[in-house]
Amino acid sequence: MSDVFDNVMDLAKRRGFVWPTTECYGSVAGFIDYGPLGTLVKRRIEDLWRQFYVISEGYYEIECPTIGQEAMYIASGHVKGFSDKMCQCPACNEYLRADHVAEAHNIPNAATLSCEALAEKICTLPCPACNEVLGTVEVFTFNLMFQTTIGPGSQRKGYLRPETAQGIFVDFGRLLRFYRDKLPFGTVQIGRSYRNEISPRQGMIRLREFTQAEAEIFVHPDMKDHPNFSRYADYAFPLLSSEQQLRGLEAKTYTMKEAVAAGVIANEYVAYYLALTHELLVTIGVMPSRLRFRQHLPDERAHYAEDCWDAEIFSERFGWVETVGIADRTDYDLKAHAEQSGDSFTAYIQFDEPRREKRRVINANMGVLGPKYRGKAKAISDALQEVTPGPDGATVIVDGEEIFVPADLYEVKEEEVDVRGVDVRPHVIEPSYGIDRMIYAVLEHSYFEEEVEGEIRKVMRFPSRIAPVQVAIFPLMARDGLDIMAKEIARTLQLQGILAEYDDSGAIGRRYRRQDEIGTPFAVTVDYDSLEDQTVTLRDRDSMKQVRIPKDQLADLIPALIRGKSSFSSLI
RNA sequence: GCAUCGAUGGUCUAGAGGUAUGACUUUGGCCUUCCAAGCCAAUAGCUCGGGUUCGAAUCCCGAUCGGUGCACCA
């Protein structure tokens, strides 16, 4: 049975969009090559993404290493949480999630048990695949991160990053200073991430090496109103909220303003990026009718996330595919890195007006305290600041030891101070895009077959900003100077940064069809009239209509058409 | 990973033990004044590794990749 997926992937391979990697040695599941045209499409989509996030939003892009040291991924939770406890059934060789087996038989918190403890618990249970009692099995952890070593001698563990986000989080301090100590600010990264999927399938939908475009937007935890919310306040599209899902209902269309007011979306920031994502996906060629935003159900959401939505794109083959995740991750990540690293990961936010606050200060009498407690004196003095002293003295805990400090060894003062600001740990709003999935969706949604005079015409209806080849230049015949004029036109456009492809091989109709199949939006043909009156025909891919225009207008017209500043229909 | 089905030029395909058929595409030539026209020629293939056999695309075993179901999918 051949469906759109087969047709699209066949075209993708033949025409150089995407193909399996290292075919001569046998491909490896989960890895793909982008061919010449696919690489162009990918770059164009990434650049459009930058247009939205870097240029429009002002969230500058950074690049971090794809290999990260262990500490970073201990903090992020990937070393622990990104691994599954697995075992292999001795009877049928099936790999099983050991914690799932246990939980299915009402053993609580199975995921938190050690491997040995878990092995003990499940030895009496039946294998869910073959029903044989598992008996003595070894439970092992399978971590989805690719592991490597840094430097010779294997001293330091390194991991290939499973997401680009952590690189941004750990740079928080420097980024904050770059943005001159003000919230909110955002930083983005586009790059490869790696996950050693147990069984990747579905073509380019689940890859072991894939490209993510992530934005991390650091906002004040109490100020989740987006400064430019009005831009999308009236932007409307269907939302499949968790409540609708739980009640078994369909998606409902809201404006962003309504959705925030009704509490469907947690805050303006999340709503703003849902809308921006909708606009971006439609701009790159995703059909609005096959795009929906689904809210994570309470049990599906990461425990720290305040709200989380997926942009899902409908594929004829795969159904609804999660392509973009938009989450309010709260301060989870920054807090985790603060605890692991000892750095503060906070921003000092000044108040508009200094606030006069009463503060109690405890001044230790170091002249007495020092000789009495010796090495511990400094720690005791610090600890005193944190406790409420009793009438006779204060009890502090230093290195686990309880020490009673008599009241005559310190002086308690109430003083009024100007408090000019406060350290806050920002919350993170994270839109995270799977670029490869977006590209697949665009390929599938752009693919059309139509009958033209008894022949099937295959055409990729890419938006012109995404199309790999932007214009094709043909001489009607490759002689009589037509070819020379066509090459000159191609050259002129190329010097403007337009990818113009010259082609003089075969009948003109065949050349049009070739360009249709790779989605080239426009074709310019030089004919015998061109030599007389310096006009050429401009042909539109989608309507196949032609219009005659002066050759000298091409240099302005073609870029305008490709950037959507002008439309072909306005020329007719 | 388990089960199952499949894999022949770039694409589709014939081929059931004797060195691979045809079409499309591509390239070159002829022809051709706007949507895959025609003619001539050329390029190009049995997924990989073992085994059986004088001889394997074909039979057997294994691997790889792909489809489907299950499992997995922070």
Side-chain angles (χ1 to χ4, degrees):
Chain A
M1 180 199 71
S2 106
D3 62 7
V4 187
F5 173 80
D6 294 315
N7 292 332
V8 167
M9 291 318 284
D10 173 57
L11 187 147
K13 271 187 263 188
R14 269 189 301 114
R15 291 304 195 179
F17 286 93
V18 181
W19 56 57
T21 193
T22 53
E23 284 182 289
C24 67
Y25 295 112
S27 336
V28 187
F31 297 95
I32 55 164
D33 287 354
Y34 283 95
L37 298 184
T39 302
L40 276 168
V41 171
K42 183 163 183 271
R43 164 127 6 103
R44 298 232 147 96
I45 287 177
E46 288 170 4
D47 281 345
L48 202 65
W49 193 93
R50 289 186 175 97
Q51 171 65 43
F52 274 77
Y53 276 95
V54 182
I55 296 175
S56 285
E57 296 293 296
Y59 299 157
Y60 292 112
E61 180 177 1
I62 67 170
E63 277 193 70
C64 304
T66 53
I67 294 178
Q69 58 172 307
E70 189 176 27
M72 171 155 65
Y73 293 112
I74 289 174
S76 70
H78 286 97
V79 168
K80 241 193 181 138
F82 209 59
S83 56
D84 297 330
K85 290 203 167 56
M86 303 194 69
C87 65
Q88 192 176 18
C89 170
C92 67
N93 291 329
E94 177 85 342
Y95 280 95
L96 307 162
R97 279 285 295 269
D99 51 329
H100 286 189
V101 174
E103 269 162 13
H105 291 81
N106 296 319
I107 294 166
N109 303 321
T112 60
L113 295 171
S114 71
C115 289
E116 294 74 24
L118 193 54
E120 232 169 81
K121 296 271 186 195
I122 63 173
C123 65
T124 56
L125 301 176
C127 165
C130 68
N131 268 323
E132 292 289 321
V133 171
L134 288 168
T136 316
V137 287
E138 191 197 350
V139 174
F140 56 93
T141 55
F142 179 78
N143 194 294
L144 261 37
M145 284 193 294
F146 286 97
Q147 196 180 318
T148 185
T149 50
I150 302 172
S154 311
Q155 314 92 328
R156 292 187 90 181
K157 266 192 206 170
Y159 294 98
L160 269 66
R161 64 183 180 195
E163 59 178 21
T164 58
Q166 298 305 324
I168 298 177
F169 296 144
V170 298
D171 277 353
F172 174 78
R174 287 215 176 263
L175 290 166
L176 177 67
R177 268 183 293 284
F178 172 83
Y179 285 103
R180 302 205 307 277
D181 295 287
K182 280 182 296 200
L183 294 178
F185 69 86
T187 299
V188 309
Q189 183 159 201
I190 300 180
R192 303 273 186 153
S193 293
Y194 304 82
R195 294 175 192 180
N196 201 359
E197 297 285 353
I198 295 166
S199 111
R201 285 250 193 109
Q202 309 177 322
M204 52 192 295
I205 297 292
R206 252 175 85 207
L207 296 169
R208 287 182 166 132
E209 173 170 348
F210 55 100
T211 298
Q212 284 186 305
E214 294 191 297
E216 308 301 333
I217 302 148
F218 299 96
V219 304
H220 192 292
D222 302 328
M223 299 180 185
K224 292 190 177 175
D225 290 347
H226 195 289
N228 297 318
F229 187 67
S230 60
R231 227 179 255 175
Y232 288 117
D234 297 317
Y235 196 97
F237 50 92
L239 297 174
L240 186 54
S241 66
S242 60
E243 196 191 330
Q244 293 290 100
Q245 293 169 65
L246 291 170
R247 290 162 60 191
L249 299 173
E250 295 296 304
K252 241 166 104 176
T253 298
Y254 292 88
T255 65
M256 292 303 97
K257 199 165 50 188
E258 290 163 355
V260 173
V264 173
I265 302 175
N267 55 59
E268 284 189 5
Y269 259 99
V270 173
Y272 183 93
Y273 290 102
L274 285 176
L276 184 146
T277 298
H278 188 277
E279 189 189 359
L280 191 156
L281 291 175
V282 170
T283 305
I284 65 166
V286 171
M287 294 171 114
S289 59
R290 297 189 201 166
L291 172 60
R292 73 177 188 192
F293 286 77
R294 192 182 70 79
Q295 190 172 35
H296 278 203
L297 297 169
D299 61 347
E300 172 181 20
R301 195 164 64 206
H303 60 91
Y304 52 82
E306 195 166 293
D307 195 7
C308 186
W309 292 77
D310 285 335
E312 297 185 326
I313 302 180
F314 188 76
S315 152
E316 302 260 332
R317 170 64 76 93
F318 305 116
W320 289 101
V321 178
E322 306 169 27
T323 305
V324 182
I326 296 160
D328 181 340
R329 301 177 62 109
T330 69
D331 63 356
Y332 175 81
D333 304 277
L334 294 185
K335 206 164 136 196
H337 286 299
E339 281 164 8
Q340 176 80 17
S341 69
D343 286 358
S344 76
F345 285 85
T346 54
Y348 182 75
I349 302 299
Q350 293 203 1
F351 300 135
D352 297 337
E353 298 274 316
R355 295 177 193 169
R356 279 200 83 73
E357 284 183 10
K358 281 191 179 160
R359 201 197 297 179
R360 195 192 64 221
V361 178
I362 299 182
N363 289 325
N365 183 349
M366 292 310 278
V368 185
L369 217 113
K372 184 169 181 190
Y373 296 106
R374 308 213 157 232
K376 286 181 187 161
K378 175 77 170 71
I380 290 168
S381 161
D382 290 345
L384 277 172
Q385 303 299 330
E386 308 297 324
V387 299
T388 308
D392 308 329
T395 305
V396 297
I397 297 170
V398 171
D399 293 336
E401 188 191 346
E402 224 173 78
I403 299 171
F404 179 76
V405 185
D408 57 346
L409 293 188
Y410 57 83
E411 182 187 11
V412 179
K413 267 197 206 161
E414 295 283 337
E415 58 181 25
E416 286 216 332
V417 291
D418 280 344
V419 179
R420 292 171 186 282
V422 64
D423 287 319
V424 300
R425 181 111 66 214
H427 282 198
V428 173
I429 311 293
E430 179 195 73
S432 169
Y433 294 66
I435 294 287
D436 310 271
R437 290 181 175 188
M438 284 157 66
I439 292 171
Y440 175 73
V442 170
L443 289 174
E444 193 185 296
H445 291 193
S446 299
Y447 181 88
F448 288 89
E449 288 182 7
E450 58 190 32
E451 204 179 308
V452 178
E453 292 170 21
E455 295 269 1
I456 298 289
R457 179 172 92 117
K458 289 184 179 177
V459 50
M460 296 299 287
R461 296 196 200 277
F462 294 127
S464 51
R465 297 170 75 172
I466 296 310
V469 176
Q470 296 171 305
V471 61
I473 315 292
F474 305 143
L476 189 58
M477 297 294 143
R479 61 178 189 223
D480 301 329
L482 299 183
D483 49 343
I484 294 169
M485 187 187 274
K487 279 177 186 161
E488 277 167 10
I489 292 170
R491 183 73 188 140
T492 307
L493 291 168
Q494 284 158 2
L495 289 172
Q496 289 221 297
I498 299 294
L499 207 156
E501 203 173 85
Y502 171 87
D503 186 9
D504 63 13
S505 100
I508 189 80
R510 178 184 299 274
R511 284 179 263 162
Y512 284 138
R513 289 293 187 280
R514 263 204 290 260
Q515 295 298 334
D516 288 342
E517 207 178 14
I518 63 169
T520 307
F522 303 105
V524 169
T525 300
V526 174
D527 60 16
Y528 285 93
D529 291 343
S530 308
L531 298 177
E532 303 295 321
D533 63 4
Q534 304 293 309
T535 64
V536 293
T537 57
L538 178 66
R539 181 251 196 195
D540 173 56
R541 174 195 67 203
D542 294 340
S543 63
M544 293 170 63
K545 285 193 178 137
Q546 297 188 4
V547 58
R548 199 145 194 110
I549 55 158
K551 185 185 83 168
D552 292 343
Q553 285 183 13
L554 289 172
D556 292 330
L557 182 59
I558 297 291
L561 285 169
I562 287 162
R563 288 177 193 131
K565 304 285 179 213
S566 177
S567 73
F568 183 84
S569 55
S570 70
L571 300 170
I572 301 174

